[in-house]
Amino acid sequence: MAAPLLNAILEFVDYVFDLSETIDRTRQPSKHDIIEVPPDPKPVPPAARRALAEAEGRERKRDQATQAASGTDQAS
């Protein structure tokens, strides 16, 4: 008589542990879903903007000269 009662109690305890483990597993992935957002970009100082514009202008002139030299100058 004691064996079936003990067996039922142990099965219930096993069920509770399984349930607890399942709940714990469902909580863990949500802890790792943190998204890191990069900081806002710093504005480019005026001197850097001028330097970039000058470099782009030189590159454009170089490309135009290359196209003119190769005879494939296309109307822009």
Side-chain angles (χ1 to χ4, degrees):
M1 172 119 178
L5 181 61
L6 183 61
N7 192 21
I9 292 172
L10 290 176
E11 284 183 23
F12 178 74
V13 170
D14 186 45
Y15 173 75
V16 170
F17 280 134
D18 287 345
L19 184 63
S20 172
E21 187 177 336
T22 302
I23 291 170
D24 189 45
R25 264 192 251 133
T26 58
R27 286 184 181 173
Q28 285 178 355
S30 65
K31 291 178 185 175
H32 301 294
D33 290 343
I34 297 173
I35 298 172
E36 293 185 20
V37 178
D40 291 335
K42 294 181 181 176
V44 179
R49 277 185 272 177
R50 283 193 300 274
L52 285 172
E54 289 174 6
E56 288 171 352
R58 285 192 302 269
E59 187 176 344
R60 239 183 275 117
K61 286 181 183 178
R62 191 178 335 119
D63 288 344
Q64 288 173 352
T66 305
Q67 286 178 355
S70 65
T72 60
D73 191 19
Q74 299 175 353
S76 297

